[in-house]
Amino acid sequence: MLAEKVTEELRTGFPAFSTLLAETGAEETRRAVEQAMLVALGYQESPERVRRPKDLVVTPLPVAPARREMFAALSGAKDVSDVALSEVARCAGWPVPALVQAIALASPAEAPQLAAALGDALIGTVDGDTCLLVPDPGTQTRARLEAALKGRAAAVGHAVPAGDAASSLRWARALLALSPGRGGPDARAAFVDDHLSALLLLQDESLARALSARWLSPLDDLTPRQSERLEVTLLAWLEGGGAPEAARVLQVHPQTVRYRLRQIEKLFGPALRDPRTRFELEMALRSRRLMAHVRRYRSRAGRRARAVASTIRPLGMAREARVNGL
């Protein structure tokens, strides 16, 4: 843990402090250092209640309420003037940076430690989601963010001016909702910068369905298998620019792609030669596939939730009364 590492650094680096720690005891010292760190970072509301080794003085810096106010102001939960924001920032000990970057976490576990590791990030909640606002994201390389978030289900928003923090929070939370919510050693954070077009297409599913209906109606009379085959071929052709490129993506013979393209041309006609039509067809195909992915993900999530719920059994009135101390 971070507190243990700090304690060890103090022990080896300052002989006088080492003597003090020896008198105090390892467990009490660890707790005191951990609480002192939370006080200094502004996450401990009652510093006067923290037990510290004798003669170890920790000056309380901004307390949690000021930081919560700061997060609320930047996230748009509270409408404040620039003057009021400056005052809140002063009280919080958190100068307003030029840029911020949001991180949405699937679990609040160890959020304070993560915030400290990422440049004294602000912690807050948005509609129940635990989120961080990382100051000056240019100082946080992608590799560092990935390392800090390894093993967590998390989504990293795009870097924005501090006044647009709500936008970074919004898209980080949207991406987290579309990503698998399971943590574990192999879990990796998702980055909004890698999914800009997908998030843009999915921001209004009603419009996405209208776009698909407008441009993909020639496929309506085909069987699902035929439609799927021609959809993937058309998308690969639009993305790659030719039959050989599409064949490599689909791992089929170029002649197979040319045969399917002749079928597609019969269905869509000369409109395929219009650049605007090709652009909107690609958008329609991408949005249809993204929505299918979202439906599958939500269906799996629903099945997992039902499976968990099915393992929970009522206690029964007598046992429930005993549990509640009646």
Side-chain angles (χ1 to χ4, degrees):
M1 291 179 63
L2 185 58
E4 293 171 347
K5 292 180 180 178
V6 171
T7 302
E8 185 58 30
E9 289 293 328
L10 291 170
R11 190 189 307 276
T12 57
F14 300 92
F17 202 91
S18 179
T19 302
L20 175 62
L21 296 181
E23 294 174 357
T24 305
E27 183 59 25
E28 185 175 354
T29 297
R30 185 195 64 76
R31 285 199 302 268
V33 171
E34 186 176 84
Q35 293 297 331
M37 290 169 60
L38 292 175
V39 170
L41 293 172
Y43 302 122
Q44 173 66 47
E45 295 190 48
S46 303
E48 68 278 2
R49 297 180 185 175
V50 178
R51 294 184 64 199
R52 306 184 181 92
K54 61 181 179 180
D55 301 326
L56 177 61
V57 178
V58 178
T59 303
L61 290 179
V63 294
R67 287 179 170 254
R68 285 199 296 269
E69 290 289 324
M70 191 67 188
F71 183 93
L74 290 176
S75 66
K78 287 190 175 183
D79 188 14
V80 298
S81 65
D82 291 341
V83 174
L85 181 62
S86 297
E87 178 61 20
V88 173
R90 185 190 67 78
C91 294
W94 202 83
V96 180
L99 298 174
V100 297
Q101 188 171 25
I103 299 177
L105 303 172
S107 167
E110 297 183 341
Q113 293 92 323
L114 182 59
L118 294 176
D120 192 18
L122 289 179
I123 302 176
T125 58
V126 180
D127 294 334
D129 290 335
T130 299
C131 300
L132 306 179
L133 285 177
V134 179
D136 300 318
T139 64
Q140 305 290 338
T141 65
R142 176 150 180 164
R144 184 176 178 183
L145 285 171
E146 288 176 337
L149 296 168
K150 185 178 180 181
R152 298 173 179 272
V156 181
H158 54 310
V160 295
D164 294 331
S167 175
S168 189
L169 284 164
R170 174 192 176 195
W171 291 114
R173 293 177 60 237
L175 182 57
L176 183 64
L178 297 174
S179 305
R182 297 183 298 277
D186 297 327
R188 297 289 185 273
F191 286 74
V192 165
D193 285 342
D194 295 339
H195 302 277
L196 293 171
S197 60
L199 290 168
L200 186 64
L201 287 171
L202 287 173
Q203 67 175 317
D204 192 317
E205 292 188 23
S206 177
L207 278 179
R209 285 192 294 270
L211 182 69
S212 296
R214 166 71 177 81
W215 290 105
L216 302 181
S217 57
L219 302 173
D220 288 348
D221 293 334
L222 304 179
T223 67
R225 184 177 179 181
Q226 290 172 327
S227 178
E228 169 69 12
R229 186 183 300 125
L230 295 188
E231 280 187 33
V232 297
T233 302
L234 178 55
L235 183 57
W237 177 71
L238 290 168
E239 291 177 337
E245 292 79 7
R248 280 196 293 271
V249 171
L250 300 175
Q251 297 184 338
V252 298
H253 196 279
Q255 199 59 32
T256 300
V257 172
R258 292 188 182 95
Y259 170 73
R260 294 178 185 175
L261 287 174
R262 286 194 293 271
Q263 292 180 293
I264 289 168
E265 190 169 6
K266 288 180 182 178
L267 290 168
F268 289 90
L272 284 175
R273 292 190 286 271
D274 176 53
R276 177 176 176 272
T277 298
R278 291 200 298 270
F279 173 71
E280 297 212 3
L281 269 172
E282 185 174 349
M283 288 181 63
L285 289 163
R286 283 176 172 271
S287 62
R288 177 177 280 189
R289 305 192 81 74
L290 284 168
M291 286 191 294
H293 167 77
V294 170
R295 285 194 298 271
R296 287 194 297 270
Y297 170 70
R298 289 173 178 168
S299 176
R300 287 196 299 269
R303 286 198 297 271
R304 286 197 297 270
R306 288 192 294 272
V308 171
S310 68
T311 65
I312 300 174
R313 296 288 184 267
L315 291 173
M317 292 183 64
R319 187 179 175 193
E320 186 172 350
R322 289 195 298 276
V323 170
N324 290 327
L326 301 178

